[in-house]
């Protein structure tokens, strides 16, 4: 979610982007939560099993569980400033009672209440970064996107992992720097690099979204997808949805089939009963159906003209 104005970074990914937006289910794009967290945001996050050495993007405790993680991993790191800079504040400060969407960071937030609402979190970086470009997400799935957006915008701890100028950078990797060089056009102040995220959180995200549709271009890379016009081409519906639709069709058709079988059964019983009656009448010599000649022989003869005129010929 890092904006249309981040053109330099996006142009680096342009060669990876396809001409048309491709949409598939999360389960088809990512095999598991690890792939989701590590592919969707490029190099921003890495998944870690040890929860004592990894961050979570959301919490309900009174105390931020990420604080002791930062103290353990980066005891000299500074979380009293908002090291990321894009829509962020300079310092993490308390917000008012209207700060409800990203409430875990209410007491020390790098984002304002104006940024921290669903409308701005969804639209703040332009239409390319909307998470619903392949269709409306389920509430369970969308909630994780809101959590990630709040985490990025509001957490002071994520700034430790700023790619250019972050405390956590290992310069030996050659992929980040501890110092931001403002004169270097390749440096920015918003990008995150290799922040450790708990595996159980990423797995929960994948489970919540597995049947929802998302951009599958470049392996589901959010930044590459942002370059593509929003004209989705849904090539392969999610298998679970197909299964559900098939089940629903069966559930709709089943009562009709049962009714048809019942009606046919009643008709067969009625026909069989009628044939039995016909057979018994035939056996008793009083058939229901008689030959036409027999009927004519039993009919009275036609009266003569004289009888009709009231005269009797002698």
């Amino acid at each position: 979610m890092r904006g249309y104005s981040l053109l330099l970074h996006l142009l680096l990914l342009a060669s990876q982007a396809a001409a048309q937006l491709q949409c598939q289910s999360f389960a088809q794009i990512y095999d598991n939560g690890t792939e989701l967290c590590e592919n969707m945001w490029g190099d921003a996050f890495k998944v870690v099993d040890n929860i004592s050495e990894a961050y979570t993007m959301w919490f309900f405790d009174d105390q931020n569980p990420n604080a002791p993680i930062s103290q353990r991993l980066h005891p000299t790191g500074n979380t009293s400033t908002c090291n990321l800079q894009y829509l962020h504040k300079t310092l993490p400060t308390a917000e008012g009672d209207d700060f409800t969407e990203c409430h875990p960071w209410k007491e020390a937030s790098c984002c304002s209440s104006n940024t921290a609402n669903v409308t701005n979190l969804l639209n703040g970086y332009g239409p390319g970064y909307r998470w619903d470009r392949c269709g409306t997400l389920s509430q369970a799935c969308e909630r994780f996107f809101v959590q990630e957006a709040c985490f990025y915008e509001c957490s002071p701890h994520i700034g430790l992992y700023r790619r250019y100028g972050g405390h956590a950078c290992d310069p030996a990797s050659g992929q980040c720097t501890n110092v931001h060089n403002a004169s270097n056009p390749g440096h920015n102040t918003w990008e995150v690099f290799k922040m450790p995220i708990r595996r159980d959180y990423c797995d929960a995200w994948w489970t919540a979204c597995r049947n929802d549709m998302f951009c599958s271009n470049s392996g589901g890379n959010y930044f590459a997808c942002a370059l593509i016009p929003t004209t989705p081409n849904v090539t392969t519906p999610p298998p679970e949805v197909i299964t559900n639709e098939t089940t629903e069709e069966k559930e709709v058709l089943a009562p009709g089939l049962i009714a048809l079988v019942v009606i046919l059964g009643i008709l067969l019983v009625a026909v069989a009963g009628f044939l039995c009656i016909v057979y018994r009448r035939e056996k008793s010599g009083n058939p229901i159906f008689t030959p036409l000649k027999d009927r004519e022989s039993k009919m009275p003869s036609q009266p003569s003209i004289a009888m009709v005129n009231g005269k009797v010929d002698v």
Side-chain angles (χ1 to χ4, degrees):
M1 305 182 173
R2 315 305 176 225
Y4 261 116
S5 62
L6 313 177
L7 293 178
L8 180 60
H9 179 75
L10 295 179
L11 288 174
L12 295 176
L13 295 168
S15 60
Q16 302 175 6
Q20 187 175 24
L21 183 69
Q22 301 293 326
C23 295
Q24 291 182 301
S25 72
F26 277 76
Q28 291 172 312
I29 303 169
Y30 314 107
D31 287 339
N32 46 51
T34 297
E35 285 195 5
L36 187 156
C37 285
E38 293 186 349
N39 292 3
M40 181 181 289
W41 306 109
D43 293 326
F45 305 117
K46 65 177 181 179
V47 175
V48 175
D49 286 318
N50 189 345
I51 62 174
S52 65
E53 296 183 353
Y55 296 85
T56 181
M57 296 186 186
W58 198 257
F59 58 92
F60 296 96
D61 303 330
D62 292 335
Q63 300 298 319
N64 188 339
N66 291 329
I69 303 300
S70 291
Q71 293 170 4
R72 183 179 301 109
L73 298 179
H74 309 289
T76 61
N78 184 8
T79 57
S80 62
T81 62
C82 300
N83 201 25
L84 289 184
Q85 288 299 307
Y86 195 76
L87 300 178
H88 304 74
K89 296 189 295 188
T90 304
L91 300 174
T93 56
E95 289 291 324
D97 292 337
D98 61 339
F99 191 82
T100 56
E101 193 64 59
C102 301
H103 59 83
W105 292 274
K106 180 177 181 293
E107 300 304 321
S109 174
C110 286
C111 64
S112 66
S113 58
N114 183 54
T115 300
N117 63 75
V118 172
T119 300
N120 287 339
L121 292 174
L122 176 62
N123 299 291
Y125 290 92
Y129 285 93
R130 290 180 61 99
W131 50 69
D132 60 356
R133 296 176 70 202
C134 287
T136 302
L137 299 178
S138 64
Q139 289 185 351
C141 180
E142 184 176 46
R143 194 63 210 154
F144 278 91
F145 280 91
V146 172
Q147 291 175 8
E148 188 280 335
C150 288
F151 181 61
Y152 175 79
E153 302 291 349
C154 307
S155 173
H157 298 277
I158 196 171
L160 295 173
Y161 293 86
R162 200 173 90 177
R163 186 164 203 152
Y164 304 104
H167 175 86
C169 172
D170 177 10
S173 68
Q175 297 179 293
C176 60
T177 64
N178 292 123
V179 179
H180 173 248
N181 183 357
S183 63
N184 186 337
H187 284 199
N188 60 62
T189 59
W190 57 265
E191 192 174 353
V192 179
F193 182 72
K194 298 295 184 183
M195 184 177 194
I197 300 296
R198 290 172 50 158
R199 184 184 301 277
D200 58 351
Y201 181 87
C202 294
D203 287 342
W205 189 345
W206 184 87
T207 299
C209 295
R210 64 194 308 266
N211 292 332
D212 290 271
M213 305 297 284
F214 193 67
C215 170
S216 61
N217 298 71
S218 300
N221 182 291
Y222 215 134
F223 300 109
C225 288
L227 293 169
I228 304 167
T230 305
T231 305
N233 178 21
V234 184
T235 56
T236 311
E240 289 78 7
V241 172
I242 294 175
T243 301
N244 291 340
E245 289 177 352
T246 304
T247 303
E248 290 173 0
E249 289 175 0
K250 289 180 179 178
E251 291 175 351
V252 172
L253 292 175
L257 290 174
I258 293 173
L260 179 61
V261 171
V262 171
I263 292 172
L264 290 176
I266 293 173
L267 290 175
L268 288 174
V269 171
V271 171
F274 178 72
L275 291 176
C276 288
I277 294 173
V278 171
Y279 176 76
R280 289 181 179 179
R281 292 284 295 271
E282 290 284 348
K283 292 286 287 183
S284 64
N286 186 25
I288 294 176
F289 304 105
T290 58
L292 184 59
K293 291 182 178 180
D294 293 345
R295 290 185 181 181
E296 292 177 349
S297 64
K298 294 180 180 180
M299 293 177 62
S301 59
Q302 184 176 358
S304 65
I305 296 176
M307 292 179 65
V308 171
N309 293 331
K311 297 179 181 180
V312 178
D313 294 333
V314 179

